[in-house]
Amino acid sequence: MKSAFTKTKAAAVTVTAIAALPLILSGCGASSPAASGPVSELTVVDYYNNEPDKTVIGDTLVACGTESGVTIKRETVPGKSLIAKVLQQASSKTLPDVLMLDNPDLQQIASSGALAPLSDFKISTDNYPQGILSAGTYKDKVYGLAPTVNTIALFYNKDLLDQAGVTPPKTWDELKAAAAKLTSGGQYGLAFDANATYEGTWQFLPFMWSNGGDEKNIATPETAEALELWTDLVKSGSVSSSALNWTQADVNDQFIAGKAAMMVNGPWQIPVLDKQSALHYGVVNIPVKDSTKTAVGPLGGEVWTVPQTGNKAKQAKAAEIVGCMNSDKNQLAMAKARNTIPSKSTLAAQFAAENPKLASFTELVKTARARTGQLGEDWPAQATKIYTAIQNALTDKANATDALKQAQEG
Amino acid sequence: MSAAVQSRLHLTVPETQNDAGPRRPGYRRRERIYQWLFLAPAVAYLVLFFGYPVVKNVLMSFQDYSTGTFYTGEAPWVGFANYVTVLSSSLFSTSLINTALFTAGSIAGQFVLGLALAVFFKRKFPLNGMLRSLLLLPWLLPLIVSSAVWRWILDKDSGALNNFLESAGIISTGIPWLTSTSLALAAVVGVNIWIGIPFNVTVLYGGLQDIPDELYEAASLDGATGWKAFRHVTWPMLRPVVSVVLVLGVVYTLKVLDIILGLTNGGPANSTQTIATQSYALSFQDFKFGEGAAMGNILVLISLVFAVLYLRVNRRAVDE
């Protein structure tokens, strides 16, 4: 009898030990928070795993490390797995010393308590436009700063527009007319990304915002008008219904192949576009409903943050790196190398003069809005509602007004 | 084993003598320990990689598990709130129906085509081996590659399939395979059938190899050839393999995620949204981990129904 008991107990002990293993394993990886003294190495995590970004960011990080007297141990992860990794690291207390986040994710991570406010380290937030600061702000504290930012605009094929005698559209009516005129055979007037992801939402935002639409409540006539514009363009055949499934990269491919005369896209496509010697393109603001409205773009770009690792000395050094990444010199150099826009307002004019191709984007980011500016950590749920409404309207499941109403009510 | 060692064992664990039988109790006990030692790696593996996640997932579905939980470790218990939210969402019925259609369609297509190909390749003909190995290609490709290639093939305007159909004069304008709410699910099922065929062919072909040729010879003497031979010899002999293929197929297909995400992201207008994609979206896009876990558990329950069915069918077969 007793033997049987001992046996079960032994088994129970074994099982408990094994069950506890993940906890022990994760515990082992944690840096001892109390340890202080000279800091010689900092860990960095970002998702710039494509060229030229990978090298440009990497070199800048190393240079900043040298300035602060630390070596940088950098890890680049695929964009889609960054958040999963950060959450996993947060639960096992193994967050990196310096962390890059896509700006709409910042508030989500900051709300978890994993980030240190930059005001703890006296990093200056002067000279940043409001949109950029609000993207990095959670509950009145700035947690992340973006050295360079981007937004989206309207690219047009100069040759195709010239042939058709069309000038780049400025208003929605002009856009519809131009797109219709540029549609023939296998060529569509316009291409955009209306797919069932946050990319679809992001592409719709300039139309919604410039017309006075509000992400807090999408069931408004202003947003419905913007969605009707998209629906009209697809129904009339000026935009392929494939837009429902295209990514921004697909849209770019259509534009390069001459199958779309205009497209909604961002400056990160410029290196690819410039490789096409036969392609002549221009960039203008995304058309607004009428001349009384101003273009408002969504703000893109990644912010650098200092996670709460518990090691004060390392956090101070990490803050130096974040500050260095955001220095005037580095902002200008990285923006030029990566075809993005320096975020500080004071640098914009100089940058636009030196990089005329990016001039429209430089103008646009001044007034660009952060996706999380109003909703903060509630943004992902609302962004899902927006692309759901877009998909329902474009597939004719509901008209624009109803689609938005249904989505808003969930 | 020496007597000295035995007696020492007796000294340390004298109790074993009472219930471990009259002969060589120390030996029995040691044997037990060895048995456990051999089992330990497997048990450890199961507990670590299957038990822990399953238990964790069940617990998570009863908690308000947010991004903050990962840092603070605090996740308040909310009872069945996550299940209520998930089940009462307007999307749930769509996802459930799509999951059923996707699974039934994929399984039917994979199995029928797989079986036909397996029977076809049972004959001996030139290039048989090479063709059979080519058939495995869909299985070898990473799913993300397959879905990217198929997305390109099925594109409405510049897709290879529509180009082919147009040049053959079958259609005049491109068919919106992936962007029409009525076609997208069928297109996704089609791609999943393509991916599932190698598995079905391989297992069924293996099953066919086990049917002795003598049975066919005897059947042909009785006049059973061709379809009759299949009906009266192949099918009954293949049944155990068939049930394995079907049940595994259902369980694999229920949880398919990457193909759907790669092809349509659940769109257009949720027409290809399944419970699996919905669970993924809740957890990793909306950061509602509790609801995502609840959705995942519903999927596990559905899979369990099929697993139990499978066990019952098998037990009956053994009993007979």
Side-chain angles (χ1 to χ4, degrees), chain B residues 241-260:
Chain B
V241 179
V242 167
S243 62
V244 171
V245 168
L246 288 182
V247 172
L248 286 182
V250 168
V251 174
Y252 287 160
T253 312
L254 278 173
K255 65 178 176 62
V256 165
L257 185 74
D258 12 27
I259 298 293
I260 301 177

Side-chain angles (χ1 to χ4, degrees), chain B residues 40 95 102 313 315:
Chain B
S95 302
F102 178 78
V313 168
R315 199 176 54 193

Side-chain angles (χ1 to χ4, degrees), chain B residues 77-95:
Chain B
W77 297 96
V78 292
F80 283 91
N82 288 326
Y83 287 92
V84 172
T85 314
V86 161
L87 290 170
S88 61
S89 114
S90 55
L91 202 52
F92 184 75
S93 56
T94 315
S95 302

Side-chain angles (χ1 to χ4, degrees), chain A residues 315-336:
Chain A
Q315 279 186 305
K317 278 286 175 198
E320 279 180 31
I321 302 292
V322 172
C324 168
M325 292 296 280
N326 281 283
S327 72
D328 290 8
K329 186 186 109 218
N330 281 334
Q331 284 207 353
L332 283 170
M334 285 194 284
K336 189 170 161 43

